């Protein structure tokens, strides 16, 4: 938030220009950052690239101008709805992502629109940098032999690490650095197919000296402060790929509820392999326990059956893998069916003919399944007339058949199919089939009658109204009576309950609160009834759902001034039935007009000249047989809400210590849409309190579109915040209100007795990076800064001598170039004059800071003064160039500002990478500087130049600043 406040000053002059040209202005947008950026650089087409380390905080702010105030939306693609952010990530104009991950990199777009002109869109590309720990794998040239790494074999050490930017690798043997050509027995190369992402160390024909500790160092060259990662692999004459053994049978057959333990041991491998377990499913069961090479599955269930594998890896050769299958014994899903005599084309089962009773059960393992048949509780054996078969090649596995040849009355009774597994331990499954002479009169010599299915007369098509309860009915006959299955004729359309099929025992499908989407054809179909295996019967019922007309608009507010016409239009979108539609226009309960629709699907009502009695709620009811649809028009003279103008972002100065004022500015939305606004009602209350204080602000003349209205709020108590409510008033009465919060924002050190910043805290005392420079200052401490690649530059501690203390410095390593500039800008300091009408004698302030300029490529350090309202280009207030030695020194300069001001510290990169400039302990005190430090130009360092510019030079700079 501090960043937003400080940057808003940059926009003030632009806002002043908008005010001169007319208050209404299309949007413009600019993206700034305030997170933990490593680097921000410009690419072509003015796109910015924002580099950040994985795990840091990404914070991007969208700065906009334009009036009315534009609406802002963040996306990660060019407006894709699927890639918008959660509300928790976006706060006002700021996109905030804590602990950013590598997959969150990409191009981010900020879009601003306010209805004027085209939307303004800016993008910024976020590049997330990371470096994972490297991994070394070892391979032999002789077919991944299991033996040890003997002499005269070629060995490959492959190092790989995931990173962004691309990683560089280096190899060490013990303390020695290995490079191409340094050892005839060693080759280092990057395979073409990996595009340089892996580094291979090839040891040709192993020698005794090749058995050593090898270190692979992965580096991204300290980009984003990411330090190098290191891994060590010890190669010996015993190094070998892993081998393992499973101390279990394959497969393992167990009963449900048993505890199963799988044991895996290593039989070889150097270094010692690591054991892990995986399953054929995505993951191991939640209740499984892994301890070393033992996997325990307590109280196993059928769902946990499958293939379990032990995997051993030591990064030598390929991982070793052994698997076993766990089979959990189970019986389930028993069913039966009855098949009529296959030699007669008849669905009836009759005395004297053949009938087959089939029984099917799913079993695990299937080879353990055994069947038995009982009649009236007594075991049956296969005979010439009662043929029992355990397996049938023409039907599904796990099936037994009982064929009854020449069915007789003596065969009536209860037949039971019993399924079990060999060895027991699993409950049996039994299925009863009852054949009884009481189900069919003996005259027909049959006991099973095939089904017949019909739709009752007058039950199709069935016409109902939306919201009713309807019953679809199919009449079914047959003995025994089958279950009816209901489904939609359109197989892809779901049933009313969302399923694809519903069962009914009485042939009736009941639908409660029927809707228009349920219109269509419904199919009723017989299922296998009591196992009777005949062709299913089916019928179709047509359902027609009538519903009231759907109309638009459902509700429309229409604002209009007195004496003007009002036109209202009500349109029918859909209705069933769509014929004989009637409409009625009413104002309240008073009938205005009625009629029928002919060819058109809309009706219109016009008020030629609106009067006070014409304000109110107009309705248009469109009726058919199923009911009415209603269009509602609320006609009022209510004024639209005002729109606050957000250019006044800080309190007005008042020469009183306890109060402040605020210039409230607003424009009126659509002022000409209703009668003239005669006044505004202003309400104000301190936040947290209940009571509003109100007053009227009279309006002289007519407000035009875009006209800026102003009212000064005074006597606001510091530092309290206030809620302000503004309501327009016309002849109709009060219009819509607008509310905003006014927050007191005290300037830094308003009386400026003393300011001190040592950069110890992350906000760095409200200092900000200049947006128009080439690169940024970096906050670091000696404890975290890696000087490995530039050891002869930069400080080894902060100004106080602490390695944990922080300071700001410019990093001059690549990709920085000679002459590139980094600027650090202080917060605003207010000059409070004793005379409120002006400054006769400008006050004096002493600006001081400590600097460290050590390295043979040191460039230049400048200090500037920025004042509001001045545009003249002058030189720096203080300047120093060249190597000043490895020590901190102090600079002081007196300044005499005449308006609110900032101080700017500018670092310019020298000709090489040993040119890091650091600053610390910045202070600003009231009064002239005393005890000015000497500038030593006779040191042993290379020639330097130092300049203390005249004080008159410090009063103007090249920057454009608006009124604060």
């Amino acid at each position: 938030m501090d960043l937003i406040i400080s940057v808003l000053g940059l926009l003030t002059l632009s806002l002043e220009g908008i005010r001169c040209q007319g208050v209404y202005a299309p949007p413009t947008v600019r993206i700034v950052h305030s997170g933990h950026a490593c680097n921000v650089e410009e690419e072509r087409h003015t796109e910015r690239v924002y580099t950040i380390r994985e795990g840091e905080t990404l914070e991007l702010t969208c700065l906009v101008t334009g009036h009315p105030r534009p609406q802002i939306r963040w996306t990660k693609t060019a407006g894709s709805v699927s890639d918008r952010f959660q509300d928790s990530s976006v706060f006002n104009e700021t996109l905030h992502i804590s602990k950013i991950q590598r997959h969150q990199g990409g191009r981010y777009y900020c879009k601003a629109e306010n209805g004027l002109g085209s939307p303004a869109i800016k993008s910024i590309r976020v590049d997330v940098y990371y470096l994972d720990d490297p991994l070394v794998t070892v391979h032999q040239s002789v077919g991944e032999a299991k033996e040890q790494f003997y002499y005269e074999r070629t060995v490959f050490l492959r190092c790989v690490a995931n990173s962004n930017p691309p990683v560089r690798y280096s190899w060490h043997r013990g303390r020695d650095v290995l490079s191409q050509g340094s050892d005839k027995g060693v080759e280092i190369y990057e395979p073409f197919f990996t595009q340089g992402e892996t580094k291979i160390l090839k040891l040709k024909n192993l020698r005794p000296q090749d058995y050593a500790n090898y270190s692979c160092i992965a580096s991204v060259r300290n980009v984003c402060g990411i330090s190098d990662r290191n891994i060590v692999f010890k190669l010996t004459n015993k190094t070998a790929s892993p081998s393992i053994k499973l101390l279990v049978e394959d497969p393992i057959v167990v009963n449900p509820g048993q505890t199963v333990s799988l044991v895996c041991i290593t039989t070889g491998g150097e270094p010692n392999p690591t054991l892990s377990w995986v399953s054929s499913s995505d993951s191991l069961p939640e209740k499984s326990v892994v301890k070393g090479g033992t996997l325990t599955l307590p109280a196993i269930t059928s769902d946990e059956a499958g293939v379990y594998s032990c995997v051993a890896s030591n990064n030598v050769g390929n991982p070793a893998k052994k698997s076993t299958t766990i089979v959990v014994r189970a019986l389930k899903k028993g069913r039966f069916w009855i098949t009529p005599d296959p030699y007669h084309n008849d669905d009836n089962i009759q005395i004297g003919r053949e009938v087959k009773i089939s029984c099917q059960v799913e079993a695990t393992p299937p080879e353990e399944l055994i069947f038995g048949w009982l009649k009236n509780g007594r075991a049956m054996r296969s005979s010439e007339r009662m043929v029992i078969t355990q397996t049938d090649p023409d039907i599904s596995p796990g099936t037994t058949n009982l064929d009854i040849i020449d069915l007789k009355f003596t065969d009536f009774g209860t037949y039971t199919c019993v399924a079990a597994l060999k060895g027991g331990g699993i409950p049996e499954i039994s299925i009863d089939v009852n054949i009884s002479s009481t189900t069919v009169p003996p005259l027909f010599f049959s006991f099973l009658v095939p089904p017949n299915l019909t739709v009752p007369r007058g039950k199709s098509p069935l016409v109902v109204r939306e919201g009713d309860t309807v019953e679809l009915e199919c009449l079914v006959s047959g003995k025994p009576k089958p279950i009816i299955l209901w489904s939609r004729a359109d197989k892809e359309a779901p049933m009313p309950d969302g399923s694809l099929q519903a069962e009914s025992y009485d042939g009736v499908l009941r639908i409660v609160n029927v809707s228009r989407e349920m219109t269509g054809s419904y199919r009723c179909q017989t299922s296998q009834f009591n196992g009777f295996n005949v062709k299913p019967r089916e019928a179709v019922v047509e359902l027609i759902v009538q519903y009231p007309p759907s109309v638009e608009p459902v509700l429309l507010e229409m604002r209009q001034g007195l004496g003007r016409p009002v036109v209202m239009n009500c349109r029918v979108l859909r209705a069933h039935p769509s014929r004989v539609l009637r409409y009625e226009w009413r104002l309240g309960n008073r009938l205005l007009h009625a009629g029928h629709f002919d060819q058109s699907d809309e009706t219109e009502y016009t008020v030629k000249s609106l009067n006070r009695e014409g304000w109110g709620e107009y309705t248009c009811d469109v009726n058919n047989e199923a009911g009415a649809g209603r269009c509602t028009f609320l006609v009022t003279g209510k004024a639209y809400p005002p729109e606050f103008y957000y250019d006044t972002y800080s309190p007005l100065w008042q020469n009183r210590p306890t109060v402040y004022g605020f210039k409230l500015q607003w424009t009126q939305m659509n002022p000409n849409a209703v009668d003239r606004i005669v006044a505004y009602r202003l309400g104000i209350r301190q936040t947290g309190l209940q009571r509003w204080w109100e007053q009227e602000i009279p309006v002289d003349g007519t407000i035009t579109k875009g006209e800026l209205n102003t009212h000064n709020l005074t006597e606001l108590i510091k530092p309290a915040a206030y809620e302000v409510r503004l309501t327009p008033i016309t002849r109709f009465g009060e219009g819509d209100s607008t509310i905003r919060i006014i927050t007191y924002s005290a300037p830094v050190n308003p009386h400026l007795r003393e300011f001190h910043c040592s950069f110890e805290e992350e906000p760095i005392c409200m200092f900000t990076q200049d947006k128009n420079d080439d690169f940024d200052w970096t906050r670091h401490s000696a404890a975290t800064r890696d000087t490995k690649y530039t050891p002869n530059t930069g400080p080894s501690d902060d100004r106080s001598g602490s390695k944990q203390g922080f300071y700001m410095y410019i990093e001059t390593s690549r990709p920085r170039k000679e002459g590139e500039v980094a600027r650090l800008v202080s917060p605003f300091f207010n000059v409070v004059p004793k005379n409120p009408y002006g400054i006769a004698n400008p006050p004096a302030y002493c600006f001081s800071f400590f600097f460290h300029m050590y390295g043979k490529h040191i460039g230049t350090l400048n200090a500037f003064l920025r004042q509001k309202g001045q545009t003249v280009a002058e030189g720096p207030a203080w300047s120093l160039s060249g190597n000043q030695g490895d020590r901190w020194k102090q600079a002081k300069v007196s300044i005499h500002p005449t308006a609110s001001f900032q101080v700017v510290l500018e670092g310019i990169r020298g000709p090489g990478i040993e040119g890091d400039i650091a600053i610390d302990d910045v202070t600003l005190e009231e009064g002239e500087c005393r005890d000015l430090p000497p500038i030593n130009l006779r040191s042993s360092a290379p020639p330097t130049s130092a300049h203390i510019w005249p004080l008159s030079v410090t009063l103007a700079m090249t920057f454009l600043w608006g009124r604060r």
Side-chain angles (χ1 to χ4, degrees), residues 30-45:
R30 189 159 63 90
I31 298 177
V32 298
H33 67 88
S34 59
H36 297 138
C38 304
N39 188 31
V40 178
E41 58 186 26
E42 301 287 343
E43 282 195 339
R44 294 192 312 168
H45 310 298

Side-chain angles (χ1 to χ4, degrees), residues 551-775:
V551 297
E552 68 173 8
V554 176
L555 177 63
L556 178 64
E557 184 182 27
M558 305 182 72
R559 307 190 189 206
Q560 189 60 278
L562 295 175
R564 302 177 187 174
V566 179
V567 180
M568 292 162 279
N569 185 283
C570 182
R571 187 161 68 96
V572 179
L573 301 177
R574 53 190 175 272
H576 189 85
S578 58
R579 65 185 185 280
V580 194
L581 293 179
R582 176 179 172 82
Y583 62 83
E584 292 182 350
W585 283 94
R586 294 179 181 271
L587 173 57
N589 295 323
R590 180 163 58 94
L591 180 63
L592 302 174
H593 181 57
H596 292 85
F597 285 93
D598 296 323
Q599 301 298 324
S600 175
D601 59 356
E602 60 184 27
T603 175
E604 185 177 279
Y605 184 77
T606 301
V607 178
K608 294 182 179 179
S609 179
L610 186 65
N611 55 30
R612 291 182 180 273
E613 290 73 22
W615 283 327
E617 185 177 271
Y618 291 78
T619 58
C620 177
D621 290 331
V622 181
N623 300 271
N624 67 358
E625 298 175 15
R630 171 171 287 186
C631 295
T632 301
F633 302 87
L634 184 60
V635 179
T636 74
K638 180 188 292 187
Y640 285 94
E643 294 181 313
F644 284 115
Y645 195 54
Y646 282 84
D647 65 334
T648 306
Y649 55 89
S650 62
L652 298 177
W653 177 84
Q654 287 188 345
N655 192 23
R656 296 173 62 184
T658 60
V659 299
Y660 69 101
F662 197 91
K663 181 185 288 186
L664 197 65
Q665 296 177 294
W666 72 93
T667 57
Q668 178 60 47
M669 180 188 297
N670 299 333
N672 300 324
V674 296
D675 289 320
R676 185 178 73 85
I677 296 173
V678 296
Y680 286 93
R681 178 166 288 111
L682 173 67
I684 184 168
R685 68 178 176 185
Q686 192 170 325
T687 54
L689 302 182
Q690 297 294 324
R691 185 177 180 183
W692 287 89
W693 294 93
E694 292 187 336
Q695 69 177 93
E696 281 198 3
I697 305 173
V699 174
D700 296 329
T702 301
I703 297 177
T704 59
K705 184 176 181 179
E707 180 180 348
L708 189 63
N709 303 278
T710 302
H711 180 78
N712 286 330
L713 301 176
T714 58
E715 305 300 324
L716 305 180
I717 302 173
K718 292 181 181 178
Y722 289 86
E723 191 174 3
V724 176
R725 180 178 63 199
L726 198 61
T727 308
I729 301 173
T730 64
R731 288 190 290 174
F732 174 83
E734 292 190 356
D736 290 333
S737 301
T738 299
I739 295 178
R740 69 165 295 182
I741 302 295
I742 293 175
T743 304
Y744 177 73
S745 178
V748 178
N749 295 315
H751 300 295
L752 198 61
R753 294 290 181 257
E754 182 178 355
F755 170 83
H756 177 263
C757 183
S758 58
F759 305 110
E760 295 301 317
E761 302 297 331
E762 185 64 33
I764 58 174
C765 314
M766 297 176 62
F767 274 83
T768 57
Q769 308 283 355
D770 193 338
K771 306 309 175 190
N772 298 313
D773 56 7
D774 302 309
F775 65 107

Side-chain angles (χ1 to χ4, degrees), residues 687-921:
T687 54
L689 302 182
Q690 297 294 324
R691 185 177 180 183
W692 287 89
W693 294 93
E694 292 187 336
Q695 69 177 93
E696 281 198 3
I697 305 173
V699 174
D700 296 329
T702 301
I703 297 177
T704 59
K705 184 176 181 179
E707 180 180 348
L708 189 63
N709 303 278
T710 302
H711 180 78
N712 286 330
L713 301 176
T714 58
E715 305 300 324
L716 305 180
I717 302 173
K718 292 181 181 178
Y722 289 86
E723 191 174 3
V724 176
R725 180 178 63 199
L726 198 61
T727 308
I729 301 173
T730 64
R731 288 190 290 174
F732 174 83
E734 292 190 356
D736 290 333
S737 301
T738 299
I739 295 178
R740 69 165 295 182
I741 302 295
I742 293 175
T743 304
Y744 177 73
S745 178
V748 178
N749 295 315
H751 300 295
L752 198 61
R753 294 290 181 257
E754 182 178 355
F755 170 83
H756 177 263
C757 183
S758 58
F759 305 110
E760 295 301 317
E761 302 297 331
E762 185 64 33
I764 58 174
C765 314
M766 297 176 62
F767 274 83
T768 57
Q769 308 283 355
D770 193 338
K771 306 309 175 190
N772 298 313
D773 56 7
D774 302 309
F775 65 107
D776 289 345
W777 287 78
T778 305
R779 176 178 174 266
H780 258 307
S781 68
T784 60
R785 184 183 175 218
D786 189 352
T787 59
K788 178 178 180 180
Y789 294 102
T790 53
N792 300 316
T793 186
S796 57
D797 48 30
D798 76 343
R799 202 277 301 180
S800 65
S802 170
K803 291 190 178 298
Q804 282 70 38
F806 285 86
Y807 53 86
M808 302 295 292
Y809 85 106
I810 58 170
E811 174 58 68
T812 57
S813 301
R814 296 182 181 88
R816 302 278 67 87
K817 299 177 181 178
E818 183 176 4
E820 290 188 335
V821 173
R823 298 190 189 97
L824 193 65
V825 184
S826 78
F828 263 106
F829 300 103
N830 281 6
V831 176
V832 182
K834 298 179 180 179
N835 180 358
Y837 299 103
I839 300 179
N841 296 314
Y845 298 96
C846 181
F847 172 54
S848 67
F849 58 93
F850 283 83
F851 60 88
H852 189 282
M853 301 172 66
Y854 169 56
K856 63 181 180 181
H857 301 139
I858 291 292
T860 301
L861 176 62
N862 295 323
F864 294 97
L865 176 72
R866 289 183 175 178
Q867 294 194 104
K868 284 188 174 182
Q870 295 182 342
T871 59
V872 181
E874 295 288 352
W878 182 94
S879 181
L880 186 63
S881 302
N883 186 0
Q884 303 299 314
D886 188 9
R887 56 187 175 274
W888 288 94
K889 296 181 180 181
Q890 188 179 27
K892 287 185 177 182
V893 59
S894 294
I895 58 176
H896 301 82
T898 59
S900 297
F901 65 96
Q902 294 172 293
V903 291
V904 181
L905 291 163
E906 177 185 77
I908 303 177
R909 200 247 197 200
I913 64 173
E914 295 181 22
D916 297 348
I917 299 174
I919 58 171
D920 201 359
D921 287 348

Side-chain angles (χ1 to χ4, degrees), residues 496-518:
D497 62 355
S499 64
L500 294 178
Q501 196 175 69
E503 290 185 352
S504 171
Y505 292 91
D506 57 0
V508 176
L509 175 64
R510 183 182 176 87
I511 304 175
V512 180
N513 192 22
V514 66
S515 66
R516 64 193 67 180
E517 291 79 12
M518 298 177 189

Side-chain angles (χ1 to χ4, degrees), residues 346-349 448-452 477-480 482 529 532 534 537:
D346 192 348
D347 286 338
N348 290 306
I349 297 177
L448 292 173
V449 179
N452 186 32
S477 62
K479 292 188 178 180
F529 66 112
F532 194 39
V534 296
R537 275 64 167 172

